[in-house]
Amino acid sequence: MTRRAVFIPYRPKTILNKHKRADHWFWTRYSAYPYLGCQHGCEFCYCRERKYAPYDDPADFAYVIKVKENAPELLRRALARATVDPVFTGDYQPAERQFKVSRRMLEVCLEAGFPVFVLERSPLVLRDLDLLTAIHQRARVVVAFSIISTPDSPNHGRVRAMERLAPSAERRFAAMRQLAQAGIPTGTCFMPILPGLCDDDANLQAVVRWTAEHGGSFVLAAGLTLADQQRAYFFDVLRDRFPDLVEPYTRLYPPGSYAVADGDPRRIGRQLRELCRQNGVSDRIPRPIVPGDKRAVNKRVAEHLANAAYAIDLEGGPSSKTWAYRKAAWAVDDLEQDVGLLYRTMGRKGLESVEGVWPRLVLEVEELVSAEEAAQGRGLLAGGLKPRPPGT
């Protein structure tokens, strides 16, 4: 007998997860989720890991949906005490049609003037295009779609079987086009890239091409991770429905591994970066910054430094250099005063005084600050400026 989803309304005590600073992937500093569990039930979902899963049996993840009925009220109180920065929120699984918790949480973000990042597998997000547009005009919005295969990819049928109830990739791309036409920054989270199913050249090219053709401006990629009960669940699925994949996945993910333990883990990232360049999109998400943010220059400089750290790591550069850029990004982000004002009043010595900025990076930071200050003077945010290559 087909198992049906059950919905359990409950009232958590808190809703907003706070991080010390914005992360360098999605640029979110906060997260607030309306549901526990997901009816889409993708077989590879990392949310079945013990540290994320709300249930002892990972199979319950797709069928027992806990509804945070007081989430909007909790979010309103939490944002009233929080520094304005992007909130990772929204969940447009089928339950949202009935409970509308995601929509009410977006209404709170609009009221409070907070930017929003949404990562989605469903075109249902278009129902709230009015709210997303209003938030984007006031604060900024980025909507990303989780897509790992296209209809013309060699293994698309097998990938779709693993995505269970998630809407088709065609519908997700169509929703991406509508968001782009509405002026909402959007793109693809190519996650997780499944070995043997999604990492072939044809699929990599297709995902980037479809993103560009549907108005997406970025493709952010990451591989499959497997841990504890999620790992056991996934291997049970392979044994039951995809037995030919058991041996290669056992080799790629030996006991104790979390990510692929064989080959060059950065190869696909480099390949995706080149494909993005060829198709006129980015392999990083642009940092959303609220109009009029007094620390806009700090945030743009930190964005450049963080992206440089990613590029150095992608090319296999020394970890010390990667960490120098990453720590400099954190230092500029953590700086309480406007780095542009610091530079205008103290010059290079002011930048040298920022604890965490490696002395050999000061010249690069100076160039970035100067470029951003000039862009501010023209009423722009430079964002895409590309000064000297990292470390030169």
Side-chain angles (χ1 to χ4, degrees), residues 226-228 231 250 252-259 261:
L226 295 174
D228 50 65
R231 175 192 178 90
T250 301
L252 291 170
Y253 293 86
S257 65
Y258 183 63

Side-chain angles (χ1 to χ4, degrees), residues 298-325:
N298 298 49
K299 292 181 178 181
R300 285 295 182 217
V301 171
E303 177 185 15
H304 172 87
L305 294 169
N307 287 346
Y310 175 78
I312 294 165
D313 182 66
L314 202 62
E315 295 300 327
S319 60
S320 59
K321 190 174 181 181
T322 301
W323 276 101
Y325 274 85

Side-chain angles (χ1 to χ4, degrees), residues 332-344:
V332 174
D333 241 350
D334 291 346
L335 196 62
E336 293 185 2
Q337 64 265 55
D338 174 9
V339 70
L341 178 61
L342 181 68
Y343 179 62
R344 289 196 303 274

Side-chain angles (χ1 to χ4, degrees), residues 66-305:
K66 300 184 76 172
V67 182
K68 302 177 183 180
E69 58 183 6
N70 63 333
E73 293 79 10
L74 290 175
L75 185 61
R76 182 173 288 107
R77 290 201 295 268
L79 294 186
R81 302 187 298 270
T83 301
V84 174
D85 246 333
V87 181
F88 193 144
T89 191
D91 183 347
Y92 290 87
Q93 60 176 291
E96 174 63 16
R97 294 186 183 276
Q98 176 182 349
F99 297 102
K100 299 182 174 64
V101 184
S102 290
R103 180 172 180 86
R104 289 186 287 135
M105 292 175 72
L106 288 181
E107 290 172 343
V108 172
C109 292
L110 174 60
E111 293 168 11
F114 274 66
V116 166
F117 174 77
V118 176
L119 175 57
E120 195 42 60
R121 282 183 174 269
S122 172
L124 180 58
V125 68
L126 293 174
R127 182 203 64 188
D128 295 339
L129 184 56
D130 60 333
L131 277 175
L132 294 169
T133 301
I135 295 171
H136 187 59
Q137 291 173 347
R138 180 178 180 185
R140 291 296 178 258
V141 165
V142 176
V143 178
F145 288 89
S146 180
I147 303 173
I148 61 174
S149 179
T150 68
D152 52 359
S153 298
N155 295 299
H156 186 64
R158 306 190 88 186
V159 173
R160 282 297 296 139
M162 287 192 180
E163 290 184 317
R164 293 177 44 141
L165 295 184
S168 69
E170 295 98 317
R171 294 178 64 197
R172 281 174 261 168
F173 276 118
M176 183 186 297
R177 186 193 300 278
Q178 286 188 245
L179 285 162
Q181 290 173 342
I184 304 294
T186 183
T188 296
C189 279
F190 192 174
M191 304 173 177
I193 298 176
L194 303 175
L197 296 176
C198 301
D199 57 353
D200 55 279
D201 291 349
N203 187 56
L204 297 178
Q205 294 168 5
V207 169
V208 177
R209 185 182 71 252
W210 277 62
T211 300
E213 290 174 350
H214 289 79
S217 60
F218 60 83
V219 177
L220 196 66
L224 174 70
T225 58
L226 295 174
D228 50 65
Q229 63 183 26
Q230 174 227 7
R231 175 192 178 90
Y233 175 88
F234 184 70
F235 270 95
D236 283 346
V237 170
L238 295 185
R239 280 187 284 270
D240 182 48
R241 297 166 54 196
F242 308 97
D244 60 304
L245 295 177
V246 173
E247 188 280 325
Y249 272 77
T250 301
R251 175 176 49 81
L252 291 170
Y253 293 86
S257 65
Y258 183 63
V260 170
D262 186 34
D264 179 1
R266 301 175 182 87
R267 177 188 62 81
I268 291 177
R270 292 193 296 271
Q271 190 171 351
L272 258 295
R273 168 160 284 199
E274 177 58 23
L275 289 170
C276 286
R277 186 194 65 77
Q278 293 172 7
N279 286 270
V281 299
S282 175
D283 65 339
R284 309 306 292 157
I285 289 179
R287 185 173 192 172
I289 297 177
V290 176
D293 189 330
K294 295 180 179 179
R295 298 181 67 258
V297 174
N298 298 49
K299 292 181 178 181
R300 285 295 182 217
V301 171
E303 177 185 15
H304 172 87
L305 294 169

Side-chain angles (χ1 to χ4, degrees), residues 330-360:
W330 291 338
V332 174
D333 241 350
D334 291 346
L335 196 62
E336 293 185 2
Q337 64 265 55
D338 174 9
V339 70
L341 178 61
L342 181 68
Y343 179 62
R344 289 196 303 274
T345 56
M346 298 179 63
R348 191 176 298 174
K349 287 187 178 297
L351 301 180
E352 291 171 348
S353 71
V354 179
E355 186 176 355
V357 175
W358 192 30
R360 293 168 69 178

